[in-house]
Amino acid sequence: MSTGRVLVAGVGNILLGDDGFGVETVRRLREHPLPDDVELLDVGVRGVHLAYQALDGYRLLVLVDATARGGGPGTVHLIEPDAGPVEVPVLDGHRMGPDAVLALLGTLAAGTGGTLPERVLVVGCEPESLDEGIGLSTPVAAAVEEAVRVVLRIVGAEELTGAKADLQVERETTAW
């Protein structure tokens, strides 16, 4: 059974440059007051952990991640992935990105009795570089504050923080 809880999960590998965007955004969100029903989770590269955590009866799952969608580096996207039928990926605990987690949720829920999130949103940022190295590129580092504002608006914390962000959701039928 779903609750009113919201899970905001920062995804990515901080050792691959801009892939650490989701982790950094969640770190910055910790500096803001949030509604009591919002949980922040630094997932990093632990996709299997995210998959099982997401089945804990959340009303909303917000994934924050680097997303290459053809825009300029630092462009922030708000995406609502299609919940339609998807091919379940081969399980690889070391390479299980958010798209694989979402594809696997239905199967895991059936096998564990877990509850799927009612809605999933992705706050993504166009990376400039995913090369080995610690630290975000200049345009992606600058986009973290915009992503924080978007997440705060999504979770209803804008009145607590004064954050303002225009939200335009992109519907997506393919992996991001």
Side-chain angles (χ1 to χ4, degrees):
M1 182 154 139
S2 175
T3 66
R5 295 181 309 144
V6 174
L7 178 62
V8 178
V11 180
N13 187 338
I14 63 168
L15 302 177
L16 295 177
D18 291 340
D19 197 43
F21 169 78
V23 172
E24 178 61 19
T25 301
V26 165
R27 187 189 71 75
R28 296 262 189 92
L29 280 163
R30 293 187 192 286
E31 300 169 2
H32 295 274
L34 297 170
D36 291 339
D37 63 348
V38 175
E39 300 173 32
L40 298 176
L41 180 64
D42 172 355
V43 176
V45 295
R46 299 181 327 268
V48 173
H49 176 85
L50 173 60
Y52 282 101
Q53 181 75 32
L55 295 176
D56 199 25
Y58 293 95
R59 171 181 56 83
L60 175 63
L61 170 61
V62 180
L63 300 174
V64 186
D65 195 12
T67 57
R69 300 178 57 80
T75 302
V76 174
H77 302 277
L78 178 58
I79 307 157
E80 185 165 18
D82 183 6
V86 292
E87 181 179 322
V88 176
V90 174
L91 279 181
D92 179 352
H94 300 289
R95 295 179 164 263
M96 194 167 164
D99 52 344
V101 169
L102 293 178
L104 188 61
L105 283 180
T107 301
L108 286 177
T112 65
T115 303
L116 294 169
E118 292 176 19
R119 186 174 189 200
V120 176
L121 294 173
V122 177
V123 176
C125 179
E126 291 282 347
E128 181 175 77
S129 173
L130 299 175
D131 294 336
E132 287 185 20
I134 296 175
L136 302 176
S137 66
T138 300
V140 172
V144 168
E145 285 307 314
E146 180 183 352
V148 165
R149 286 190 300 274
V150 169
V151 172
L152 291 173
R153 179 111 187 254
I154 290 168
V155 302
E158 70 272 15
E159 65 276 355
L160 297 174
T161 63
K164 298 290 181 207
D166 289 327
L167 298 182
Q168 187 170 17
V169 180
E170 302 170 30
R171 305 283 185 236
E172 182 60 57
T173 57
T174 59
W176 62 92

